[in-house]
Amino acid sequence: MTTVGEFMTTRLVTMDGNDTLAAAAQEMRDSAIGDVVVTNGDDVVGIVTDRDITVRGVAEDLDPNRARLNEITSRDVITVSQYDDAVAAADLMRTYAVRRLPVIDDGRLVGLVSMGDLAVEREPQSVLADVSADDPNN
């Protein structure tokens, strides 16, 4: 059995829900990532992606310098353990139509597993795996 912990990313960025959309966008740019995990203290409360900032923020006329991540955060986060089976994680993504799952260990955020991570691990010849394994182009 291949576990989530074998290929999750531990290089993740967390931000407080009171941080602005602009701050999150700048962090994503600077870190060459497409999402931030939104926390309240040590608790994971949601995820915000670059698409969320565009569709739920800018397209809705929110001022990126004033609007807070709490206003656009995807909540009801589905999480996995680093010891969970990778196939089960993929099934969760399919069931809940999500592309990323925070990895929690003893109530603490330890990583993030994405659809791209799963593709690289489970289907290395797929287009998604090829794109996901490549260096960012930004």
Side-chain angles (χ1 to χ4, degrees):
M1 170 178 87
T2 303
T3 64
V4 169
E6 293 176 49
F7 59 92
M8 69 182 183
T9 183
T10 56
R11 190 188 77 117
L12 51 113
V13 174
T14 62
M15 295 186 79
D16 186 84
N18 290 315
D19 289 328
T20 65
L21 306 188
Q26 291 161 356
E27 184 64 47
M28 289 179 203
R29 177 201 60 208
D30 295 345
S31 299
I33 57 175
D35 59 84
V36 295
V37 178
V38 181
T39 57
N40 180 6
D42 289 335
D43 296 329
V44 173
V45 296
I47 296 177
V48 169
T49 66
D50 47 5
R51 186 176 189 282
D52 292 331
I53 292 171
T54 302
V55 174
R56 295 181 184 168
V58 176
E60 294 296 326
D61 255 353
L62 298 180
D63 179 349
N65 293 305
R66 295 185 188 275
R68 306 293 172 190
L69 292 179
N70 282 332
E71 297 176 55
I72 66 163
T73 298
S74 296
R75 297 187 183 273
D76 300 324
V77 178
I78 308 303
T79 64
V80 292
S81 161
Q82 62 183 325
Y83 307 108
D84 286 344
D85 179 49
V87 174
D91 288 343
L92 280 174
M93 288 181 184
R94 185 177 304 110
T95 299
Y96 291 98
V98 296
R99 296 172 189 229
R100 297 163 182 86
L101 298 171
V103 181
I104 306 294
D105 188 22
D106 290 328
R108 189 173 59 86
L109 180 66
V110 296
L112 189 76
V113 63
S114 71
M115 188 180 303
D117 296 331
L118 290 170
V120 169
E121 176 65 27
R122 307 295 299 169
E123 299 176 29
Q125 301 305 317
S126 70
V127 173
L128 179 57
D130 192 40
V131 170
S132 297
D134 213 1
D135 289 331
N137 65 357
N138 50 357

PDB file of all heavy atoms in Angstrom, residues 81-107:
ATOM      1  N   SER A  81      -4.811  11.525   6.698  1.00  0.00           N
ATOM      2  CA  SER A  81      -3.628  11.280   7.507  1.00  0.00           C
ATOM      3  C   SER A  81      -2.487  10.884   6.582  1.00  0.00           C
ATOM      4  O   SER A  81      -2.712  10.334   5.507  1.00  0.00           O
ATOM      5  CB  SER A  81      -3.910  10.131   8.486  1.00  0.00           C
ATOM      6  OG  SER A  81      -2.701   9.584   8.976  1.00  0.00           O
ATOM      7  N   GLN A  82      -1.279  11.129   7.008  1.00  0.00           N
ATOM      8  CA  GLN A  82      -0.132  10.716   6.201  1.00  0.00           C
ATOM      9  C   GLN A  82      -0.049   9.191   6.082  1.00  0.00           C
ATOM     10  O   GLN A  82       0.627   8.665   5.203  1.00  0.00           O
ATOM     11  CB  GLN A  82       1.159  11.279   6.777  1.00  0.00           C
ATOM     12  CG  GLN A  82       1.493  10.816   8.168  1.00  0.00           C
ATOM     13  CD  GLN A  82       2.749  11.475   8.703  1.00  0.00           C
ATOM     14  OE1 GLN A  82       3.671  11.732   7.949  1.00  0.00           O
ATOM     15  NE2 GLN A  82       2.764  11.761   9.995  1.00  0.00           N
ATOM     16  N   TYR A  83      -0.770   8.467   6.929  1.00  0.00           N
ATOM     17  CA  TYR A  83      -0.760   7.008   6.902  1.00  0.00           C
ATOM     18  C   TYR A  83      -1.892   6.421   6.057  1.00  0.00           C
ATOM     19  O   TYR A  83      -1.947   5.209   5.870  1.00  0.00           O
ATOM     20  CB  TYR A  83      -0.834   6.453   8.331  1.00  0.00           C
ATOM     21  CG  TYR A  83       0.246   7.042   9.204  1.00  0.00           C
ATOM     22  CD1 TYR A  83      -0.067   7.957  10.197  1.00  0.00           C
ATOM     23  CD2 TYR A  83       1.588   6.717   9.000  1.00  0.00           C
ATOM     24  CE1 TYR A  83       0.933   8.526  10.985  1.00  0.00           C
ATOM     25  CE2 TYR A  83       2.593   7.286   9.778  1.00  0.00           C
ATOM     26  CZ  TYR A  83       2.252   8.185  10.765  1.00  0.00           C
ATOM     27  OH  TYR A  83       3.243   8.752  11.530  1.00  0.00           O
ATOM     28  N   ASP A  84      -2.778   7.300   5.536  1.00  0.00           N
ATOM     29  CA  ASP A  84      -3.885   6.827   4.706  1.00  0.00           C
ATOM     30  C   ASP A  84      -3.383   6.334   3.356  1.00  0.00           C
ATOM     31  O   ASP A  84      -2.364   6.801   2.838  1.00  0.00           O
ATOM     32  CB  ASP A  84      -4.910   7.943   4.479  1.00  0.00           C
ATOM     33  CG  ASP A  84      -5.747   8.225   5.708  1.00  0.00           C
ATOM     34  OD1 ASP A  84      -5.762   7.396   6.633  1.00  0.00           O
ATOM     35  OD2 ASP A  84      -6.393   9.298   5.748  1.00  0.00           O
ATOM     36  N   ASP A  85      -4.124   5.411   2.797  1.00  0.00           N
ATOM     37  CA  ASP A  85      -3.812   4.851   1.492  1.00  0.00           C
ATOM     38  C   ASP A  85      -4.001   5.907   0.400  1.00  0.00           C
ATOM     39  O   ASP A  85      -4.978   6.664   0.423  1.00  0.00           O
ATOM     40  CB  ASP A  85      -4.741   3.659   1.244  1.00  0.00           C
ATOM     41  CG  ASP A  85      -4.516   3.010  -0.096  1.00  0.00           C
ATOM     42  OD1 ASP A  85      -3.355   2.721  -0.437  1.00  0.00           O
ATOM     43  OD2 ASP A  85      -5.517   2.798  -0.807  1.00  0.00           O
ATOM     44  N   ALA A  86      -3.075   5.975  -0.527  1.00  0.00           N
ATOM     45  CA  ALA A  86      -3.133   6.955  -1.614  1.00  0.00           C
ATOM     46  C   ALA A  86      -4.387   6.771  -2.467  1.00  0.00           C
ATOM     47  O   ALA A  86      -4.990   7.742  -2.915  1.00  0.00           O
ATOM     48  CB  ALA A  86      -1.880   6.851  -2.474  1.00  0.00           C
ATOM     49  N   VAL A  87      -4.785   5.531  -2.699  1.00  0.00           N
ATOM     50  CA  VAL A  87      -5.989   5.273  -3.495  1.00  0.00           C
ATOM     51  C   VAL A  87      -7.217   5.815  -2.767  1.00  0.00           C
ATOM     52  O   VAL A  87      -8.110   6.410  -3.389  1.00  0.00           O
ATOM     53  CB  VAL A  87      -6.121   3.773  -3.808  1.00  0.00           C
ATOM     54  CG1 VAL A  87      -7.444   3.473  -4.498  1.00  0.00           C
ATOM     55  CG2 VAL A  87      -4.944   3.304  -4.664  1.00  0.00           C
ATOM     56  N   ALA A  88      -7.255   5.645  -1.462  1.00  0.00           N
ATOM     57  CA  ALA A  88      -8.374   6.179  -0.677  1.00  0.00           C
ATOM     58  C   ALA A  88      -8.398   7.704  -0.760  1.00  0.00           C
ATOM     59  O   ALA A  88      -9.474   8.318  -0.841  1.00  0.00           O
ATOM     60  CB  ALA A  88      -8.273   5.722   0.771  1.00  0.00           C
ATOM     61  N   ALA A  89      -7.221   8.347  -0.746  1.00  0.00           N
ATOM     62  CA  ALA A  89      -7.159   9.809  -0.885  1.00  0.00           C
ATOM     63  C   ALA A  89      -7.695  10.236  -2.242  1.00  0.00           C
ATOM     64  O   ALA A  89      -8.445  11.217  -2.351  1.00  0.00           O
ATOM     65  CB  ALA A  89      -5.722  10.298  -0.695  1.00  0.00           C
ATOM     66  N   ALA A  90      -7.335   9.506  -3.291  1.00  0.00           N
ATOM     67  CA  ALA A  90      -7.848   9.814  -4.632  1.00  0.00           C
ATOM     68  C   ALA A  90      -9.364   9.654  -4.679  1.00  0.00           C
ATOM     69  O   ALA A  90     -10.072  10.473  -5.288  1.00  0.00           O
ATOM     70  CB  ALA A  90      -7.179   8.920  -5.673  1.00  0.00           C
ATOM     71  N   ASP A  91      -9.871   8.621  -4.027  1.00  0.00           N
ATOM     72  CA  ASP A  91     -11.319   8.415  -3.968  1.00  0.00           C
ATOM     73  C   ASP A  91     -12.015   9.567  -3.249  1.00  0.00           C
ATOM     74  O   ASP A  91     -13.099  10.000  -3.657  1.00  0.00           O
ATOM     75  CB  ASP A  91     -11.653   7.092  -3.283  1.00  0.00           C
ATOM     76  CG  ASP A  91     -11.305   5.882  -4.147  1.00  0.00           C
ATOM     77  OD1 ASP A  91     -11.121   6.047  -5.378  1.00  0.00           O
ATOM     78  OD2 ASP A  91     -11.203   4.774  -3.584  1.00  0.00           O
ATOM     79  N   LEU A  92     -11.410  10.074  -2.175  1.00  0.00           N
ATOM     80  CA  LEU A  92     -11.983  11.222  -1.462  1.00  0.00           C
ATOM     81  C   LEU A  92     -12.043  12.445  -2.378  1.00  0.00           C
ATOM     82  O   LEU A  92     -13.037  13.171  -2.385  1.00  0.00           O
ATOM     83  CB  LEU A  92     -11.158  11.555  -0.218  1.00  0.00           C
ATOM     84  CG  LEU A  92     -11.386  10.704   1.014  1.00  0.00           C
ATOM     85  CD1 LEU A  92     -10.380  11.065   2.099  1.00  0.00           C
ATOM     86  CD2 LEU A  92     -12.804  10.868   1.532  1.00  0.00           C
ATOM     87  N   MET A  93     -10.961  12.681  -3.119  1.00  0.00           N
ATOM     88  CA  MET A  93     -10.954  13.814  -4.050  1.00  0.00           C
ATOM     89  C   MET A  93     -12.079  13.685  -5.069  1.00  0.00           C
ATOM     90  O   MET A  93     -12.756  14.664  -5.383  1.00  0.00           O
ATOM     91  CB  MET A  93      -9.605  13.917  -4.765  1.00  0.00           C
ATOM     92  CG  MET A  93      -8.491  14.395  -3.879  1.00  0.00           C
ATOM     93  SD  MET A  93      -6.958  14.497  -4.827  1.00  0.00           S
ATOM     94  CE  MET A  93      -5.823  14.955  -3.543  1.00  0.00           C
ATOM     95  N   ARG A  94     -12.252  12.491  -5.575  1.00  0.00           N
ATOM     96  CA  ARG A  94     -13.308  12.255  -6.562  1.00  0.00           C
ATOM     97  C   ARG A  94     -14.685  12.452  -5.924  1.00  0.00           C
ATOM     98  O   ARG A  94     -15.543  13.130  -6.482  1.00  0.00           O
ATOM     99  CB  ARG A  94     -13.176  10.837  -7.121  1.00  0.00           C
ATOM    100  CG  ARG A  94     -14.131  10.519  -8.238  1.00  0.00           C
ATOM    101  CD  ARG A  94     -13.927   9.112  -8.819  1.00  0.00           C
ATOM    102  NE  ARG A  94     -12.568   8.901  -9.279  1.00  0.00           N
ATOM    103  CZ  ARG A  94     -11.679   8.088  -8.696  1.00  0.00           C
ATOM    104  NH1 ARG A  94     -12.003   7.409  -7.613  1.00  0.00           N
ATOM    105  NH2 ARG A  94     -10.470   7.944  -9.182  1.00  0.00           N
ATOM    106  N   THR A  95     -14.897  11.878  -4.769  1.00  0.00           N
ATOM    107  CA  THR A  95     -16.192  11.955  -4.095  1.00  0.00           C
ATOM    108  C   THR A  95     -16.588  13.392  -3.767  1.00  0.00           C
ATOM    109  O   THR A  95     -17.734  13.793  -3.961  1.00  0.00           O
ATOM    110  CB  THR A  95     -16.165  11.116  -2.794  1.00  0.00           C
ATOM    111  OG1 THR A  95     -15.904   9.753  -3.138  1.00  0.00           O
ATOM    112  CG2 THR A  95     -17.471  11.237  -2.031  1.00  0.00           C
ATOM    113  N   TYR A  96     -15.633  14.177  -3.269  1.00  0.00           N
ATOM    114  CA  TYR A  96     -15.932  15.534  -2.830  1.00  0.00           C
ATOM    115  C   TYR A  96     -15.567  16.600  -3.861  1.00  0.00           C
ATOM    116  O   TYR A  96     -15.699  17.790  -3.590  1.00  0.00           O
ATOM    117  CB  TYR A  96     -15.229  15.825  -1.493  1.00  0.00           C
ATOM    118  CG  TYR A  96     -15.827  15.019  -0.371  1.00  0.00           C
ATOM    119  CD1 TYR A  96     -15.220  13.837   0.049  1.00  0.00           C
ATOM    120  CD2 TYR A  96     -17.011  15.410   0.247  1.00  0.00           C
ATOM    121  CE1 TYR A  96     -15.775  13.074   1.069  1.00  0.00           C
ATOM    122  CE2 TYR A  96     -17.559  14.662   1.260  1.00  0.00           C
ATOM    123  CZ  TYR A  96     -16.946  13.497   1.664  1.00  0.00           C
ATOM    124  OH  TYR A  96     -17.514  12.748   2.677  1.00  0.00           O
ATOM    125  N   ALA A  97     -15.098  16.170  -5.031  1.00  0.00           N
ATOM    126  CA  ALA A  97     -14.733  17.084  -6.125  1.00  0.00           C
ATOM    127  C   ALA A  97     -13.762  18.168  -5.657  1.00  0.00           C
ATOM    128  O   ALA A  97     -13.981  19.358  -5.860  1.00  0.00           O
ATOM    129  CB  ALA A  97     -15.982  17.703  -6.757  1.00  0.00           C
ATOM    130  N   VAL A  98     -12.680  17.727  -5.012  1.00  0.00           N
ATOM    131  CA  VAL A  98     -11.631  18.637  -4.566  1.00  0.00           C
ATOM    132  C   VAL A  98     -10.308  18.201  -5.188  1.00  0.00           C
ATOM    133  O   VAL A  98     -10.133  17.041  -5.560  1.00  0.00           O
ATOM    134  CB  VAL A  98     -11.504  18.701  -3.028  1.00  0.00           C
ATOM    135  CG1 VAL A  98     -12.775  19.275  -2.407  1.00  0.00           C
ATOM    136  CG2 VAL A  98     -11.181  17.337  -2.432  1.00  0.00           C
ATOM    137  N   ARG A  99      -9.390  19.130  -5.277  1.00  0.00           N
ATOM    138  CA  ARG A  99      -8.098  18.839  -5.892  1.00  0.00           C
ATOM    139  C   ARG A  99      -6.955  18.792  -4.896  1.00  0.00           C
ATOM    140  O   ARG A  99      -5.835  18.448  -5.254  1.00  0.00           O
ATOM    141  CB  ARG A  99      -7.802  19.906  -6.941  1.00  0.00           C
ATOM    142  CG  ARG A  99      -8.800  19.866  -8.061  1.00  0.00           C
ATOM    143  CD  ARG A  99      -8.633  21.037  -8.990  1.00  0.00           C
ATOM    144  NE  ARG A  99      -9.734  21.052  -9.916  1.00  0.00           N
ATOM    145  CZ  ARG A  99      -9.603  21.180 -11.209  1.00  0.00           C
ATOM    146  NH1 ARG A  99      -8.420  21.337 -11.744  1.00  0.00           N
ATOM    147  NH2 ARG A  99     -10.658  21.176 -11.986  1.00  0.00           N
ATOM    148  N   ARG A 100      -7.241  19.165  -3.643  1.00  0.00           N
ATOM    149  CA  ARG A 100      -6.202  19.200  -2.617  1.00  0.00           C
ATOM    150  C   ARG A 100      -6.779  18.723  -1.290  1.00  0.00           C
ATOM    151  O   ARG A 100      -7.918  19.048  -0.957  1.00  0.00           O
ATOM    152  CB  ARG A 100      -5.692  20.629  -2.421  1.00  0.00           C
ATOM    153  CG  ARG A 100      -5.035  21.217  -3.633  1.00  0.00           C
ATOM    154  CD  ARG A 100      -4.948  22.742  -3.512  1.00  0.00           C
ATOM    155  NE  ARG A 100      -4.367  23.335  -4.686  1.00  0.00           N
ATOM    156  CZ  ARG A 100      -5.048  23.662  -5.776  1.00  0.00           C
ATOM    157  NH1 ARG A 100      -6.349  23.440  -5.836  1.00  0.00           N
ATOM    158  NH2 ARG A 100      -4.440  24.200  -6.810  1.00  0.00           N
ATOM    159  N   LEU A 101      -5.952  18.016  -0.534  1.00  0.00           N
ATOM    160  CA  LEU A 101      -6.355  17.555   0.788  1.00  0.00           C
ATOM    161  C   LEU A 101      -5.256  17.891   1.792  1.00  0.00           C
ATOM    162  O   LEU A 101      -4.114  17.453   1.619  1.00  0.00           O
ATOM    163  CB  LEU A 101      -6.564  16.034   0.801  1.00  0.00           C
ATOM    164  CG  LEU A 101      -7.648  15.454  -0.099  1.00  0.00           C
ATOM    165  CD1 LEU A 101      -7.559  13.933  -0.114  1.00  0.00           C
ATOM    166  CD2 LEU A 101      -9.014  15.916   0.352  1.00  0.00           C
ATOM    167  N   PRO A 102      -5.571  18.662   2.827  1.00  0.00           N
ATOM    168  CA  PRO A 102      -4.599  18.868   3.898  1.00  0.00           C
ATOM    169  C   PRO A 102      -4.329  17.531   4.595  1.00  0.00           C
ATOM    170  O   PRO A 102      -5.229  16.703   4.758  1.00  0.00           O
ATOM    171  CB  PRO A 102      -5.290  19.841   4.849  1.00  0.00           C
ATOM    172  CG  PRO A 102      -6.328  20.515   4.011  1.00  0.00           C
ATOM    173  CD  PRO A 102      -6.778  19.474   3.025  1.00  0.00           C
ATOM    174  N   VAL A 103      -3.086  17.334   4.990  1.00  0.00           N
ATOM    175  CA  VAL A 103      -2.676  16.121   5.694  1.00  0.00           C
ATOM    176  C   VAL A 103      -2.472  16.494   7.161  1.00  0.00           C
ATOM    177  O   VAL A 103      -1.664  17.372   7.480  1.00  0.00           O
ATOM    178  CB  VAL A 103      -1.386  15.531   5.089  1.00  0.00           C
ATOM    179  CG1 VAL A 103      -0.994  14.253   5.825  1.00  0.00           C
ATOM    180  CG2 VAL A 103      -1.557  15.279   3.592  1.00  0.00           C
ATOM    181  N   ILE A 104      -3.235  15.841   8.023  1.00  0.00           N
ATOM    182  CA  ILE A 104      -3.246  16.166   9.450  1.00  0.00           C
ATOM    183  C   ILE A 104      -2.698  14.970  10.232  1.00  0.00           C
ATOM    184  O   ILE A 104      -3.038  13.825   9.953  1.00  0.00           O
ATOM    185  CB  ILE A 104      -4.699  16.464   9.920  1.00  0.00           C
ATOM    186  CG1 ILE A 104      -5.363  17.541   9.068  1.00  0.00           C
ATOM    187  CG2 ILE A 104      -4.717  16.833  11.399  1.00  0.00           C
ATOM    188  CD1 ILE A 104      -4.753  18.908   9.168  1.00  0.00           C
ATOM    189  N   ASP A 105      -1.848  15.260  11.216  1.00  0.00           N
ATOM    190  CA  ASP A 105      -1.317  14.227  12.097  1.00  0.00           C
ATOM    191  C   ASP A 105      -1.461  14.722  13.531  1.00  0.00           C
ATOM    192  O   ASP A 105      -0.912  15.776  13.877  1.00  0.00           O
ATOM    193  CB  ASP A 105       0.146  13.944  11.761  1.00  0.00           C
ATOM    194  CG  ASP A 105       0.706  12.753  12.504  1.00  0.00           C
ATOM    195  OD1 ASP A 105      -0.096  11.898  12.949  1.00  0.00           O
ATOM    196  OD2 ASP A 105       1.931  12.666  12.650  1.00  0.00           O
ATOM    197  N   ASP A 106      -2.201  13.995  14.338  1.00  0.00           N
ATOM    198  CA  ASP A 106      -2.465  14.394  15.728  1.00  0.00           C
ATOM    199  C   ASP A 106      -3.004  15.822  15.812  1.00  0.00           C
ATOM    200  O   ASP A 106      -2.570  16.617  16.656  1.00  0.00           O
ATOM    201  CB  ASP A 106      -1.200  14.255  16.589  1.00  0.00           C
ATOM    202  CG  ASP A 106      -0.820  12.806  16.823  1.00  0.00           C
ATOM    203  OD1 ASP A 106      -1.734  11.959  16.894  1.00  0.00           O
ATOM    204  OD2 ASP A 106       0.387  12.519  16.936  1.00  0.00           O
ATOM    205  N   GLY A 107      -3.912  16.168  14.911  1.00  0.00           N
ATOM    206  CA  GLY A 107      -4.539  17.479  14.910  1.00  0.00           C
ATOM    207  C   GLY A 107      -3.672  18.599  14.361  1.00  0.00           C
ATOM    208  O   GLY A 107      -4.054  19.758  14.402  1.00  0.00           O
TER     209      GLY A 107
END
